[in-house]
Amino acid sequence: MRPGGQPNMQQLMKQAQKMQAQLASAQAALAEAEVTGTAGGGLVTVKMTGSGEFRSISIDPKAVDPEDVETLEDLVAAAFTNAADEVRKLTEQKMGPLSAGLGGMGLPF
């Protein structure tokens, strides 16, 4: 801090640039990571990237019952929900340290 409580703008800019580079790196790592969501004890498996992009779905033939399509729909929805939860956890893991650093920049967060 400078006299009068003013933050050093040059120092703030350097910190912001460093955080921007860290953010880009974390986003790239998320895009490359793959998470898996499952339902029904593995009968339905969904794969997504860490950035939330859908990759694939696998359905065990035991889950397919023409007389009970609703259960299969529920399993698919649950697998997607599970994969989305995994994406959220991974995002918190990769991005959490970056958001914690905002308070150290002399900003009122």
Side-chain angles (χ1 to χ4, degrees), residues 2-52:
R2 292 183 149 170
Q6 294 298 318
N8 181 327
M9 290 306 287
Q10 188 174 19
Q11 183 181 3
L12 283 176
M13 290 302 290
K14 283 182 183 178
Q15 287 178 327
Q17 288 172 342
K18 181 179 175 184
M19 286 188 68
Q20 186 175 17
Q22 291 172 332
L23 177 62
S25 176
Q27 287 172 328
L30 283 172
E32 291 176 18
E34 186 172 89
V35 299
T36 301
T38 61
L43 290 175
V44 178
T45 302
V46 171
K47 292 188 180 190
M48 299 175 82
T49 66
S51 58

Side-chain angles (χ1 to χ4, degrees), residues 98-109:
L98 293 174
S99 62
L102 289 175
M105 292 180 58
L107 298 174
F109 297 126

Side-chain angles (χ1 to χ4, degrees), residues 91-103:
T91 300
E92 288 174 0
Q93 177 187 354
K94 297 284 186 190
M95 302 296 239
L98 293 174
S99 62
L102 289 175

